[in-house]
Amino acid sequence: MATSAPLLGAEKKGGHSKASIFYGADEYLEELKKKYAHDHEIAALKNLLPGEGDPNAAGVAASQDKMLKVEKNNENRSLKTNRLFPTANKPDPMPQNLAFLFTKITPEQMIYMWNVLTAIFVTQVLMIVAYCAALATFPEYWWTCTLLFGVPFSYIAIQQIYIDHDVMHGATFPVYDFQKFLTHPFADFFSLPWEEFVLEHNRHHASTVDLLIQGEFGWDPEEFHYALQQWAGPFSTNWYKYILTVPWIPVIHFFGLNDTGSLFALEWWMHFPDEGAGGKCNKDFWNKWVPRRLKHNGFVLSLWACVWLLGTYPLGRPLSEGWRFMFTVSFFARIGFSAAWMFITNFTHSLPWNEFLAQDPGRTWPVLHNIMALVLGGKHRWNEMLFHDVHHAFPNAVGTLSQRGRFHGWEKVHDAAAEVLHRGLWKPNGDEETQMQKTQKKRSLMMKQNK
């Protein structure tokens, strides 16, 4: 049963709340605004997104860098499709039953999410140490120890990506600086620092407004994924062509071509930051971005070095064989991170998935929904799969559906998102409806009828 009360109580003025442990909520909010001023690139991108900008990033000037702006002509139209940049249809006047969905989350809630993310990292470390201890105690039961460690470790990696996604859309900067190193260190052997992770994800939102038209308003870092699953046209008549490319999707995820992976980091670094005037090096490259990359990946490599060492002398192996333990840990981590990103990136932006949702499968396939919700960590997480189009229409105003469900209950968020979808996500502007808009209209009518 969903509850209308938030998980955390109303914000307290001054002092230190229970949620903040040592850090005052009001103090955190002030620090958040300062960080947006320093990381103006993140603020500039977030303020370009549909719905509304991030209120904590207000006052930051728009950027003229190619990677930090929406690509459109003087008539506000896409250079790729000639569509107008759409305007999100935020309810006005705001109905009482939808107000919570568009209410800015409190500082306590922001801090709470970062505390959860920190707890996940600590749990991962303890699980690796426990796995080492189990192998040292029961060396003859390698498969048993490995599976008892690996399956939960993959599962918690899925949870880590979803909380990463939640905080970047609601509490972009950590309470304490050290927490930014804890967001995804086990995803790969090197990866994007947190700030660039946030940047590239917001680049995705600025470029891809309609879920099925990727890179409509500029380069989208995820475009290669979408090409593998949509290059040949409608799936129903071209399914045999997709046999050649779709099976490669989990493979490229596993080897790091996702937001928290090494191949993706290389792709992003080839595009960002933009070159300076006259083809010169960007003025922030050496004093801002390179140090961050070195610090982040220095921490990541140090962590994996510790994992390597755990696989040596504690297990009675020489130093040269630490890779055996390290690769096993990495294998299960990659399964979890890959699964999470396939759900967030590939499923939600695919035509077959959105056509399936148009049949209101919540009514016709309830067991499937319950199973998938369990895989992702709860029905509040599953809402993100069901209403990813709502998330793309209001990436700042609503944030993530899983984040809202964390504080208000999955069912209340589900019903509110369905209502927002029924009202129409975009204001009519004279452009022809896209395939996604037609699918959304069909789905919302089906949901209304079956309610």
Side-chain angles (χ1 to χ4, degrees):
M1 188 73 179
T3 175
S4 59
L7 181 61
L8 299 171
E11 180 181 349
K12 297 178 181 179
K13 299 295 182 181
H16 302 290
S17 70
K18 291 182 180 179
S20 63
I21 306 178
F22 305 111
Y23 208 110
D26 292 340
E27 185 182 0
Y28 169 60
L29 203 57
E30 289 302 314
E31 286 298 316
L32 194 63
K33 293 176 181 178
K34 292 177 183 178
K35 289 179 179 179
Y36 269 123
H38 177 67
D39 279 289
H40 54 88
E41 300 89 351
I42 295 176
L45 261 182
K46 288 176 76 73
N47 288 337
L48 291 175
L49 303 186
E52 62 184 46
D54 190 315
N56 294 313
V60 176
S63 174
Q64 295 305 310
D65 290 352
K66 183 178 180 180
M67 293 295 291
L68 303 177
K69 66 180 181 180
V70 172
E71 291 188 12
K72 53 189 178 180
N73 61 23
N74 293 333
E75 296 176 346
N76 203 37
R77 291 187 175 275
S78 164
L79 302 179
K80 181 176 180 178
T81 64
N82 202 41
R83 280 208 317 143
L84 286 168
F85 191 82
T87 301
N89 185 29
K90 185 176 180 179
D92 186 22
M94 180 67 68
Q96 186 176 359
N97 66 316
L98 299 182
F100 79 95
L101 197 64
F102 293 90
T103 300
K104 178 183 172 184
I105 66 172
T106 67
E108 280 91 354
Q109 290 170 341
M110 297 178 188
I111 294 170
Y112 170 82
M113 289 192 292
W114 276 104
N115 288 344
V116 171
L117 188 54
T118 303
I120 286 177
F121 170 77
V122 172
T123 302
Q124 289 173 319
V125 171
L126 293 176
M127 288 177 70
I128 294 171
V129 173
Y131 175 45
C132 175
L135 288 179
T137 307
F138 307 103
E140 66 276 18
Y141 294 102
W142 187 90
W143 278 106
T144 302
C145 295
T146 297
L147 291 176
L148 287 176
F149 158 78
V151 174
F153 198 70
S154 295
Y155 186 75
I156 202 170
I158 296 174
Q159 314 314 310
Q160 188 172 32
I161 289 303
Y162 271 87
I163 189 66
D164 277 349
H165 194 221
D166 288 350
V167 297
M168 74 166 54
H169 280 288
T172 306
F173 295 100
V175 185
Y176 304 102
D177 281 345
F178 76 86
Q179 290 175 305
K180 67 183 180 182
F181 297 103
L182 313 184
T183 55
H184 56 286
F186 292 112
D188 210 328
F189 300 128
F190 68 91
S191 57
L192 290 175
W194 173 249
E195 294 88 351
E196 291 189 82
F197 181 10
V198 175
L199 260 178
E200 63 81 10
H201 189 72
N202 281 283
R203 175 70 260 172
H204 159 68
H205 275 280
S207 306
T208 300
V209 179
D210 185 290
L211 296 186
L212 300 180
I213 309 178
Q214 289 81 31
E216 185 178 14
F217 293 96
W219 177 68
D220 186 335
E222 314 281 2
E223 284 183 35
F224 183 72
H225 283 280
Y226 305 139
L228 291 177
Q229 64 188 35
Q230 293 180 200
W231 65 274
F235 186 85
S236 58
T237 56
N238 296 282
W239 60 269
Y240 57 95
K241 298 179 182 178
Y242 287 113
I243 292 177
L244 300 174
T245 57
V246 170
W248 288 101
I249 291 175
V251 176
I252 64 174
H253 274 290
F254 184 84
F255 285 102
L257 194 60
N258 57 53
D259 299 49
T260 52
S262 56
L263 295 179
F264 194 94
L266 294 175
E267 179 192 29
W268 174 256
W269 291 335
M270 291 173 66
H271 289 81
F272 181 86
D274 289 299
E275 63 182 20
K280 296 180 180 180
C281 183
N282 186 286
K283 62 182 178 66
D284 287 328
F285 180 72
W286 289 107
N287 59 18
K288 185 174 184 178
W289 302 112
V290 169
R292 282 179 171 176
R293 294 170 185 179
L294 292 176
K295 289 178 183 178
H296 168 77
N297 287 296
F299 174 78
V300 171
L301 290 174
S302 298
L303 203 60
W304 282 114
C306 292
V307 177
W308 179 296
L309 291 174
L310 280 174
T312 59
Y313 302 113
L315 300 182
R317 299 171 183 169
L319 185 63
S320 60
E321 291 189 19
W323 63 269
R324 294 168 57 188
F325 182 79
M326 185 189 73
F327 277 13
T328 303
V329 172
S330 179
F331 174 82
F332 286 105
R334 287 168 186 266
I335 289 177
F337 285 106
S338 298
W341 284 121
M342 280 192 288
F343 280 115
I344 293 175
T345 302
N346 297 102
F347 274 86
T348 56
H349 287 267
S350 70
L351 179 58
W353 174 250
N354 284 287
E355 288 181 337
F356 177 65
L357 289 181
Q359 306 303 319
D360 191 18
R363 301 287 177 179
T364 55
W365 297 77
V367 176
L368 174 65
H369 275 244
N370 290 334
I371 292 173
M372 296 311 298
L374 179 64
V375 170
L376 296 186
K379 290 188 176 181
H380 64 299
R381 298 270 172 79
W382 188 237
N383 277 341
E384 194 63 39
M385 291 289 295
L386 301 179
F387 299 102
H388 201 65
D389 44 4
V390 176
H391 169 59
H392 266 252
F394 304 99
N396 290 320
V398 172
T400 67
L401 280 300
S402 57
Q403 170 208 107
R404 294 291 176 172
R406 183 181 297 274
F407 301 113
H408 299 281
W410 76 268
E411 190 171 12
K412 182 178 180 180
V413 173
H414 177 282
D415 293 344
E419 177 63 26
V420 171
L421 187 66
H422 182 70
R423 288 167 168 262
L425 297 183
W426 310 104
K427 292 182 179 180
N429 58 14
D431 284 346
E432 182 180 352
E433 285 187 335
T434 65
Q435 187 172 17
M436 187 67 204
Q437 287 174 309
K438 294 174 182 177
T439 303
Q440 289 164 341
K441 186 177 293 185
K442 177 183 177 183
R443 180 189 176 197
S444 64
L445 289 173
M446 185 77 71
M447 294 178 75
K448 279 289 184 180
Q449 291 171 2
N450 294 334
K451 189 172 182 180

